[in-house]
Amino acid sequence: MQDTDYGYALNPWKTKGTLKNGKYSWNLEKGTYYLEKGSARGRFSFKLTSEDTNALPSTPKLTKVSSTEDGIKVDYTKADNATGYGIYGSSLRRYRSNDPLLDAASMIGHSNFTPDGNYPDVLTQTISKNRLINGETYDIAVRAVNDEEGRSFSPVSANQKFTYYIPLKGSHEKPKTPTLKVSYYNDHGSDEPYINIEWDVNPEADSYEIQYRLKGSSKWATFFSKTRSGDIVDDPTNDFGQDFKKDQVYEVRVRALHSNLISDWSEVKTARVDVTPNR
């Protein structure tokens, strides 16, 4: 992974039994990289060399990013020496999911084309709506790949921030304000306590924006959820810098989104921490 938020997970090395003197190489732009091996055991060595190569693709550019019923549609320019392209995406609140899209950005799409130049007139990929949350903002970028000569990668394009809203359908009125219930789950000092958040199901809501804070604070921590009836706050240190401690009181509020139509905030509810967990 280069010293940015962009990385590339290479195809698994296919080995059976013992492998001796296996060799893998990649052509990369000049820069600093961090290598992370998989679960294979053994002795590894790395050698870095510097040489000119014609295999390195040129850098593509994003031309348009848009919301569709299928997800985020990403259009980009052709790149010299490319046999494929990878789309990168990362949420501004990566900790909420284990999905690679929401962690430090890895290549989440890969379109392969024949190297004879028979490319479509418009290059495009779509990030599936199943991996997206309505109302969330993502960093989108693209890079070119050449799979013919030892696997070569272009520099990553300039990124574009984009807020995804499912195209509006059905009612064009802002959704009903959620009715909220909040409680603290005490796991008796173990390491899995959380604030439980419940709201009434709204069939027209595409997502919910949740805010929480320590009572008396002016700072709200925010995240989006597409669950229908509730969510949890399980690790407040990510957004707030303060873990659960006995007798803390948290305030929580929620509002619903239907595409880009947003309800009023719910009534603020509170939850008290019973015991300091053993983290």
Side-chain angles (χ1 to χ4, degrees):
M1 182 172 70
Q2 195 183 5
D3 56 349
T4 68
D5 283 337
Y6 302 106
Y8 183 68
L10 299 167
N11 290 337
W13 298 341
K14 296 180 180 179
T15 62
K16 184 176 182 180
T18 302
L19 175 68
K20 294 183 179 180
N21 301 320
K23 181 179 179 181
Y24 305 90
S25 62
W26 310 276
N27 296 308
L28 304 165
E29 63 173 313
K30 182 179 179 180
T32 301
Y33 294 85
Y34 302 93
L35 300 178
E36 183 176 302
K37 72 177 184 67
S39 58
R41 294 183 296 173
R43 181 175 297 175
F44 299 87
S45 63
F46 300 94
K47 179 180 180 181
L48 300 180
T49 60
S50 177
E51 62 182 51
D52 291 332
T53 174
N54 294 324
L56 201 66
S58 61
T59 307
K61 295 180 181 179
L62 294 176
T63 56
K64 185 178 180 182
V65 181
S66 56
S67 294
T68 71
E69 296 239 348
D70 296 323
I72 295 178
K73 183 173 177 283
V74 183
D75 297 338
Y76 47 92
T77 61
K78 300 176 184 179
D80 296 334
N81 253 358
T83 62
Y85 297 83
I87 301 297
Y88 290 81
S90 62
S91 165
L92 300 185
R93 280 168 290 276
R94 300 186 180 95
Y95 81 93
R96 292 299 305 172
S97 172
N98 291 325
D99 190 307
L101 172 62
L102 303 181
D103 295 327
S106 58
M107 191 176 285
I108 58 176
H110 189 189
S111 287
N112 288 305
F113 301 104
T114 57
D116 60 5
N118 293 327
Y119 284 65
D121 291 335
V122 177
L123 299 183
T124 183
Q125 293 189 60
T126 298
I127 302 172
S128 171
K129 64 181 179 182
N130 296 330
R131 309 180 74 175
L132 302 169
I133 300 177
N134 182 74
E136 182 64 279
T137 300
Y138 299 91
D139 273 328
I140 308 296
V142 61
R143 94 179 329 165
V145 182
N146 185 321
D147 283 322
E148 287 202 298
E149 299 184 39
R151 191 147 259 217
S152 304
F153 305 99
S154 79
V156 178
S157 73
N159 69 296
Q160 180 175 330
K161 285 183 170 54
F162 183 79
T163 302
Y164 174 64
Y165 292 110
I166 297 172
L168 194 62
K169 56 185 177 181
S171 172
H172 283 217
E173 297 180 359
K174 69 180 185 180
K176 179 182 175 183
T177 304
T179 300
L180 184 62
K181 293 181 181 179
V182 173
S183 60
Y184 179 74
Y185 171 71
N186 178 3
D187 63 351
H188 305 289
S190 186
D191 60 354
E192 298 295 336
Y194 55 84
I195 296 174
N196 188 54
I197 307 167
E198 298 179 42
W199 54 76
D200 47 317
V201 176
N202 182 348
E204 291 195 340
D206 296 310
S207 59
Y208 293 85
E209 183 179 4
I210 301 165
Q211 289 191 333
Y212 66 93
R213 67 183 179 185
L214 278 170
K215 188 173 183 180
S217 172
S218 60
K219 175 188 175 184
W220 288 99
T222 300
F223 65 94
F224 288 84
S225 173
K226 58 182 178 182
T227 57
R228 289 295 181 184
S229 59
D231 212 311
I232 64 173
V233 175
D234 59 351
D235 188 0
T237 59
N238 284 289
D239 257 339
F240 205 71
Q242 177 68 63
D243 199 2
F244 295 127
K245 288 183 173 59
K246 185 178 180 181
D247 293 329
Q248 287 175 334
V249 176
Y250 281 85
E251 296 179 316
V252 182
R253 64 182 184 179
V254 174
R255 59 183 179 180
L257 287 80
H258 173 52
S259 185
N260 61 349
L261 304 175
I262 305 173
S263 77
D264 296 330
W265 284 108
S266 71
E267 182 181 353
V268 174
K269 298 291 186 178
T270 60
R272 180 180 293 274
V273 179
D274 320 64
V275 63
T276 299
N278 297 324
R279 294 286 191 182

